Amino acid sequence: MTDIHGEYQGMELLLKHAEVDFEADQLVFGGDMIDRGEHSGSVIKRIKELADTYPNVQAVIGNHEEMLRDYYRSGDKLWLSHGGRATLKDFEKTFSKAEMDEHIEWIIRLPLVYADEEYVYTHAGLNPHEPLDQQSRDILWMSEYDFYNTPLTKLLGLTHNKPVIYGHTPVERIYFDGARLNCDMGSHTYPIERGLGLVNLTEMIYWVYKPSSKKIEQRKVTRI
């Protein structure tokens, strides 16, 4: 699941609907957990709680968390104009001062890339000219155009034949070309309603939560 953008209710409903077993299932959150939606604090609190409790639950940093990181480390105010002001207010309602510091530090330390036995997970893409464990932070802002200009064989060579699961650029449908699968369904991204997705990579199906109807739709990942 990626690009939640403060959609706490949708996140919880999807996890429940998919009957995720946190002790047995691999669950990865692909960044951009915060901003735009109304409940960034609750989203972060829940994901950190899951990651601290279950070794199978992981999270990677997104560009919105990176803007938060730059705000706290160097005073860069870019984050404030991209949802940061509202997120700060929600953090202050959700956390005590000590809890807020703890959760912000957790966000700041999230990795750029995570890999398991089958897949590589990152927020927006990978640089094929840098080793997997030495990727620059620029990859958090990579456009899908640039990512798809990477030859498929070169990308799989970088990842040791593991497909890359990512988000960052909203899509209407989820496609898999054998090397790349974009999970971002556009939660709180555009004025028109988009959804929040949860992908089952074992069965290559996904569920989409629609905030206005509070309903969940199941779809198949399209192979191309």
Side-chain angles (χ1 to χ4, degrees):
M1 184 186 292
T2 188
D3 295 81
I4 298 167
H5 284 299
E7 181 52 62
Y8 177 74
Q9 183 179 30
M11 177 186 74
E12 289 286 30
L13 287 173
L14 282 168
L15 294 173
K16 182 178 180 181
H17 183 85
E19 299 180 341
V20 176
D21 182 344
F22 301 115
E23 292 186 346
D25 296 332
Q26 175 77 65
L27 177 63
V28 181
F29 295 94
D32 279 10
M33 298 167 278
I34 61 171
D35 300 338
R36 296 179 178 157
E38 296 181 356
H39 304 291
S40 292
S42 296
V43 169
I44 288 295
K45 183 177 182 179
R46 176 63 165 152
I47 293 175
K48 182 180 182 300
E49 178 185 69
L50 289 172
D52 288 346
T53 305
Y54 303 103
N56 289 333
V57 178
Q58 305 288 333
V60 297
I61 196 168
N63 63 293
H64 279 258
E65 289 84 24
E66 181 78 346
M67 287 188 286
L68 176 152
R69 179 179 183 269
D70 291 343
Y71 174 77
Y72 279 98
R73 288 204 165 175
S74 63
D76 188 330
K77 295 183 179 180
L78 178 64
W79 179 50
L80 299 180
S81 60
H82 286 79
R85 286 188 178 88
T87 294
L88 275 175
K89 290 180 181 179
D90 188 55
F91 278 8
E92 290 167 357
K93 289 192 300 182
T94 305
F95 304 118
S96 68
K97 177 63 168 64
E99 289 172 337
M100 186 167 166
D101 291 345
E102 177 186 355
H103 283 76
I104 287 171
E105 187 62 25
W106 177 79
I107 291 169
I108 286 172
R109 293 179 178 276
L110 287 171
L112 290 170
V113 179
Y114 172 73
D116 60 23
E117 293 181 358
E118 296 184 67
Y119 299 98
V120 173
Y121 309 84
T122 190
H123 178 63
L126 294 172
N127 185 336
H129 305 294
E130 298 174 337
L132 198 57
D133 61 350
Q134 296 177 36
Q135 293 281 303
S136 70
R137 306 195 75 84
D138 291 343
I139 64 169
L140 293 172
W141 304 88
M142 180 175 282
S143 71
E144 193 162 60
Y145 175 82
D146 288 338
F147 191 33
Y148 273 79
N149 269 341
T150 301
L152 190 146
T153 53
K154 192 172 185 66
L155 180 60
L156 290 175
L158 173 68
T159 64
H160 304 289
N161 291 315
K162 296 179 182 180
V164 180
I165 312 302
Y166 71 104
H168 185 61
T169 303
V171 293
E172 292 286 349
R173 297 276 173 172
I174 294 180
Y175 298 90
F176 179 50
D177 70 352
R180 291 160 288 224
L181 190 152
N182 183 348
C183 303
D184 180 5
M185 300 301 296
S187 177
H188 296 289
T189 299
Y190 298 116
I192 59 172
E193 184 187 54
R194 298 292 286 272
L196 176 64
L198 172 62
V199 183
N200 180 327
L201 293 168
T202 301
E203 299 180 15
M204 282 294 170
I205 60 174
Y206 63 103
W207 298 272
V208 183
Y209 168 79
K210 296 291 188 177
S212 63
S213 64
K214 306 293 191 293
K215 291 183 178 179
I216 294 173
E217 175 185 340
Q218 181 176 313
R219 302 173 183 171
K220 289 185 178 181
V221 173
T222 302
R223 296 177 184 267
I224 56 175

